């Protein structure tokens, strides 16, 4: 059965390359030797088509590196990688391309939660298992994907809220009026929704916590600065900034400094961030960022192991959660040296 699978894959690959060659040979764009090399390279390897949602942040780069390292030829994989550049239509095109190539597995990090039903039904009809990475989708039919590898963004949001509770209590400010602004990530992304809901659940328990505004800043430094400038113009008294990733936090800090705010003072603005990249953790150590809730990008090894389980015919869970940590000035020092991103 295994030999039949390989020979079928080789047949399909050869057919696809022959078709592409017929399309481009008149223009001299098709290289027969390259096609043969691709066919030879993928033989006896597990072929995975993976669509990364983009390269919008340091975190995303680390996540991509983790996946590319784990799904290497040395580890028994042939990875076909696609960068969707933050566009869902690019991911859908990539998934359809993977289906036409008859890859063994499709994995992708969805830009948004909605809008995947049709293309995933096509993958299911083709008999190709689909694995979600990092983010989730909203699907009434859970059989459209096999499993998900990622972190718990709802937990991350709630941890941010619990830290604020404890910090206010420690400083005897739990009864004070607390004004909060929130830099949100890409609208409709599961991580944006999860972190928003997790923090909101804690905030709702405190009638003296006032979320003045929540605004999309696209998970980017430039947009984070722009939106923070908007907040500073609009609201004179801001006690807490919740920024849903480090890149937006960097932009917000730049805006705060340019406005004359003294960052890192006990009586100034508290900054809550997410992702916990190395540069942000340095700011935690220096007291600029008060707390950084990790979103662990090292998801490649878990993804590779799940695929190996499926190859062995083993039953897999519907979700595999990668462990996160919460970093403050009190515990961050011991993690800095070993940080890989």
């Amino acid at each position: 059965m295994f030999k039949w699978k390989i020979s079928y894959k080789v047949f399909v690959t050869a057919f696809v390359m022959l078709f592409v060659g017929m399309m481009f040979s008149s223009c001299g764009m098709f290289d027969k030797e390259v096609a043969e090399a691709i066919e030879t390279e993928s033989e006896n390897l597990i072929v995975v088509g993976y669509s990364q949602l983009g390269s919008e942040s340091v975190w995303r780069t680390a996540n991509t590196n983790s996946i590319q390292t784990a799904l290497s030829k040395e580890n028994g994989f042939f990875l076909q990688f696609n960068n969707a550049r933050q566009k869902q239509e690019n991911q859908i095109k990539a998934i359809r391309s993977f289906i036409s190539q008859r890859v063994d597995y499709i994995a992708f990090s969805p830009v948004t939660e909605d809008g995947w039903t049709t293309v995933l039904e096509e993958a299911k009809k083709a008999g190709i298992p689909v694995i979600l990475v990092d983010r989730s989708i909203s699907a009434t039919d859970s059989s459209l994907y096999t499993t998900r590898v990622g972190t718990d963004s709802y937990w991350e949001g709630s941890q941010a809220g619990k830290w604020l509770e404890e910090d206010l209590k420690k400083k005897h400010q739990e009864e004070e009026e607390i004004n909060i602004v929130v830099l949100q990530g890409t609208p409709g992304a599961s991580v944006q929704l999860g972190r928003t809901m997790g923090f909101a659940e804690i905030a709702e328990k405190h009638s003296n916590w006032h979320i003045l505004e929540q605004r999309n800043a696209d998970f980017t430094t430039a947009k984070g600065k722009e939106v923070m400038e908007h907040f500073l113009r609009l609201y004179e008294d801001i006690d807490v900034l919740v920024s849903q990733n480090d890149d937006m936090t960097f932009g917000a800090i730049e805006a705060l400094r340019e406005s004359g705010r003294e960052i890192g003072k006990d009586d100034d603005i508290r900054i809550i961030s997410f992702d916990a990249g190395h540069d942000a953790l340095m700011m935690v150590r220096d007291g600029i960022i008060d707390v950084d809730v990790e979103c662990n990008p090292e998801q490649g090894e878990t993804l590779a192991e799940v695929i190996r389980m499926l190859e062995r015919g083993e039953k897999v869970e519907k979700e595999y959660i990668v462990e996160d940590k919460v970093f403050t000035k009190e515990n961050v020092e011991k993690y800095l040296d070993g940080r890989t991103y």
Side-chain angles (χ1 to χ4, degrees):
M1 182 176 179
F2 183 67
K3 289 182 179 178
W4 181 89
K5 178 183 177 184
I6 293 172
S7 62
Y8 178 75
K9 183 192 302 179
V10 171
F11 168 78
V12 173
T13 303
F15 178 82
V16 171
M17 292 304 178
L18 177 61
F19 177 76
V20 175
M22 290 169 62
M23 290 176 63
F24 292 100
S25 58
S26 62
C27 300
M29 296 175 64
F30 182 79
D31 189 334
K32 183 179 179 181
E33 291 182 1
V34 173
E36 290 174 350
I38 292 173
E39 179 181 329
T40 302
E41 270 190 299
S42 64
E43 191 172 355
N44 297 319
L45 298 175
I46 303 169
V47 180
V48 181
Y50 174 67
S51 178
Q52 178 61 281
L53 66 88
S55 51
E56 79 287 356
S57 64
V58 173
W59 187 95
R60 188 64 54 191
T61 300
N63 181 243
T64 294
N65 290 339
S66 173
I67 290 163
Q68 290 178 328
T69 300
L71 301 186
S72 65
K73 293 169 193 170
E74 292 76 14
N75 291 335
F77 297 92
F78 183 81
L79 177 63
Q80 298 189 51
F81 180 84
N82 165 265
N83 184 338
R85 305 191 185 283
Q86 300 289 328
K87 294 183 178 180
Q88 185 179 39
E89 57 266 33
N90 290 344
Q91 288 198 297
I92 291 173
K93 287 177 184 176
I95 292 169
R96 288 196 168 121
S97 175
F98 297 149
I99 294 169
S100 70
Q101 295 172 57
R102 297 292 300 179
V103 300
D104 298 319
Y105 298 91
I106 292 172
F108 75 109
S109 301
V111 174
T112 62
E113 281 199 342
D114 298 320
W116 303 103
T117 301
T118 300
V119 72
L120 294 189
E121 284 175 346
E122 293 169 17
K124 181 179 178 180
K125 185 176 180 180
I128 303 174
V130 172
I131 301 171
L132 306 180
V133 180
D134 174 32
R135 297 184 179 181
S136 304
I137 64 171
S138 176
T140 54
D141 181 1
S142 62
S143 71
L144 292 178
Y145 66 95
T146 301
T147 186
R148 172 185 173 264
V149 173
T151 59
D152 186 343
S153 56
Y154 184 88
W155 180 88
E156 293 163 5
S158 66
Q159 289 303 302
K162 289 176 182 178
W163 175 85
L164 184 56
E165 280 183 326
E166 290 300 314
D167 193 62
L168 290 169
K169 184 177 181 180
K170 183 170 65 175
K171 294 173 181 174
H172 309 290
Q173 296 176 312
E174 64 266 39
E175 301 300 326
E176 293 183 11
E177 301 298 310
I178 303 298
N179 293 325
I180 303 167
V181 293
V182 182
L183 294 174
Q184 294 182 311
T186 307
S190 60
V191 66
Q192 177 263 323
L193 295 169
R195 289 173 186 172
T196 298
M197 289 188 291
F199 184 81
E201 182 182 69
I202 304 299
E204 285 170 3
K205 298 177 182 179
H206 303 278
S207 59
N208 59 317
W209 290 19
H210 310 293
I211 298 179
L212 302 176
E213 188 173 348
Q214 303 185 98
R215 182 171 283 225
N216 162 40
D218 290 337
F219 287 129
T220 66
T221 299
K223 192 71 174 177
K225 181 180 180 182
E226 177 188 320
V227 176
M228 192 68 213
E229 288 171 341
H230 160 80
F231 289 155
L232 290 169
R233 285 194 300 269
L234 207 59
Y235 306 107
E236 185 175 339
D237 185 17
I238 299 174
D239 301 302
V240 179
L241 164 66
V242 179
S243 174
Q244 292 183 348
N245 86 335
D246 289 337
D247 289 78
M248 293 189 298
T249 304
F250 298 151
I253 288 170
E254 189 176 343
L256 285 162
R257 283 174 169 160
E258 289 179 2
S259 74
R261 296 290 290 261
E262 293 188 69
I263 311 301
K265 298 276 189 179
D266 283 344
D267 59 349
D268 208 87
I269 188 169
R270 288 175 172 86
I271 298 177
I272 298 172
S273 192
F274 293 85
D275 284 359
H278 183 272
D279 289 349
L281 293 188
M282 294 286 284
M283 291 185 176
V284 172
R285 183 199 65 182
D286 296 339
I288 298 168
I289 296 174
D290 294 275
V291 62
D292 205 330
V293 183
E294 183 178 38
C295 178
N296 192 339
E298 301 288 344
Q299 300 170 11
E301 282 300 327
T302 305
L303 173 61
E305 183 53 35
V306 167
I307 292 173
R308 292 188 191 104
M309 291 169 64
L310 291 169
E311 284 289 292
R312 295 192 295 263
E314 298 175 13
K315 184 178 180 180
V316 298
E317 302 294 331
K318 199 64 180 176
E319 189 171 54
Y320 291 87
I321 299 298
V322 180
E323 182 184 1
D324 288 331
K325 296 180 179 66
V326 177
F327 298 100
T328 63
K329 193 170 185 177
E330 288 71 32
N331 72 345
V332 71
E333 192 74 46
K334 63 182 177 180
Y335 294 101
L336 282 171
D337 288 343
R339 208 67 179 164
T340 58
Y341 72 99

